[in-house]
Amino acid sequence: MHSTKIPRKYVDWVLRRRGRMEIFERLDLARTALLVIDMQNGFLIPGYSTLEVPGLSAIVPNITRLARPCREHDVPVVWTQQTYTEEWRSWFRNFASPEMRDRIVADTAVGAHGFEIHESLDVAPSDLRVVKRRSSAFTPGASDLHERLQDAGRDTLIITGTLSNVCCEATARDAMLMNYDTVFVSDANGARSDEEHVATLVNMLQFFADVRTTDEVARLVETSAAPTPTPTPA
């Protein structure tokens, strides 16, 4: 499991700017969705693909722990699955060798074993699946996630998955810019190193999301599901 400790200087900066670490005291669960990004065989199976994220299986129990109360309270669970194709020209030309590109494209082709969600994940028949073709699920043309969320009346996201500093961060950034309220789960996202993961948490905390642990988000969901206490008359 990654370190989730954010350096004190960033915590102090956030406290000076907004006065508190946490953003949300409650979530409107009727407007919330849990987003699980790219927990696919290619990223999870040791030695299977160049996409492997070592140690990623450590976050699986935390994702499962969040999915269950979300389903209990009618919060949809949405699973994205990344596919790389030649059509994404800027990535295809610039960020991998020809041999590496061919392997990544093959491993993430729709229907390939590497494309499928890993068997350790608790995927329910009622959950939604979204194929995405860019790091951010909200990039125009990358997926139909935004349209499906809007159709369902959802404008609040709980974000988990991999890679923290690539698809998870890109999606969270775009979500906030598109007026989604966003919660980024510090110990239910995974990257290839602590340094990359913590750097993302610093960015999320300062500018894009409410950064919480799995325990904190699970409590937030349960608290939000409970009736709002009626003030006692003076």
Side-chain angles (χ1 to χ4, degrees), residues 180-192:
Y180 286 87
D181 287 337
T182 306
V183 179
F184 198 90
V185 190
S186 61
D187 56 355
N189 284 270
R192 292 197 172 96

Side-chain angles (χ1 to χ4, degrees), residues 14 26 28-29 50 61 69 94 103 143 145 147-148 156 171 173 204 215 230:
V14 167
R26 293 176 67 89
D28 183 348
L29 298 185
T50 60
N94 301 321
R103 293 173 65 185
S143 79
L145 177 63
E147 291 75 16
R148 295 174 75 173
T156 301
T171 298
R173 284 171 176 260
M204 291 295 106
D215 287 346
T230 302

Side-chain angles (χ1 to χ4, degrees), residues 65 130 133 144 163 170 196 202 206:
R65 186 168 171 225
V130 172
R133 293 169 289 277
D144 62 354
L163 274 70
E196 292 165 293
V202 168
Q206 292 185 94

Side-chain angles (χ1 to χ4, degrees), residues 46-58:
Y48 176 80
S49 171
T50 60
L51 296 170
E52 180 189 350
V53 181
L56 186 60
S57 60

